[in-house]
Amino acid sequence: LAVIDGPVELGPGCVVAAHARLVGPLTAGANNTFDTGCVIGGAPQHLGYKGEVTTVEIGAGNVFREHVTVHRGMPVGVGPGTGTTRVGDRGFFMANSHIAHDCVVGDDVIFANGAVIGGHVTVGDRAFISGNSAVHQFCRVGRLAFLSGASASSKDIPPFWVMQDVNYV
């Protein structure tokens, strides 16, 4: 049983698996896959959120695997809230990855298992966020940038850069 809650508009060819939850206002283009246990369009995890109407906009051809979460934006006028979280086309979001409120995610990105981005993060086209990695709120990840596994960034990652954790045990 999947749950579609509120105004949700899905393009043709979308697949919604058992136990997925889609929360509106949410629009998604054609041929997206929402796998088991994902929650797309949930309320922002922010103490300033008071139930206002905000949105998630998703392009076409994305895959949201098991337990991926994508949160709506914060309301315009509440801090730097934009009101919308946006995901481009053909992204691959592996199990347990997370896109926080007010993010803008480009096309052809890959978020490996457990990859998370904080609020207001911008991720450029074809960027790769490796497994169990995190990008701090308000940071930017450039086009074709790569964040290595089990890393964290509290600074912008320029386009074409490979950023790796050098604190090996």
Side-chain angles (χ1 to χ4, degrees), residues 5-21:
D5 184 4
V8 172
E9 182 179 330
L10 300 178
C14 287
V15 175
V16 181
H19 306 291
R21 183 169 186 215

Side-chain angles (χ1 to χ4, degrees), residues 3 6 8 15-16 29 31 60 132-134 144 148 160 164:
V3 175
V8 172
V15 175
V16 181
N31 301 314
N132 297 317
S133 294
L144 282 163
S148 71
F160 310 106
Q164 65 184 43

Side-chain angles (χ1 to χ4, degrees), residues 44-112:
Q45 294 177 334
H46 191 291
L47 294 174
Y49 181 70
K50 306 295 183 211
E52 300 91 339
V53 175
T54 58
T55 63
V56 169
E57 296 174 357
I58 296 171
N62 294 288
V63 175
F64 299 92
R65 291 299 303 265
E66 301 86 1
H67 305 287
V68 170
T69 53
V70 179
H71 289 202
R72 296 190 312 268
M74 285 293 290
V76 173
V78 178
T82 64
T84 304
T85 298
R86 289 182 173 85
V87 176
D89 298 329
R90 299 173 305 280
F92 185 42
F93 303 93
M94 297 182 204
N96 301 309
S97 57
H98 172 70
I99 299 171
H101 61 86
D102 299 288
C103 289
V104 177
V105 177
D107 298 335
D108 302 300
V109 300
I110 298 174
F111 283 40

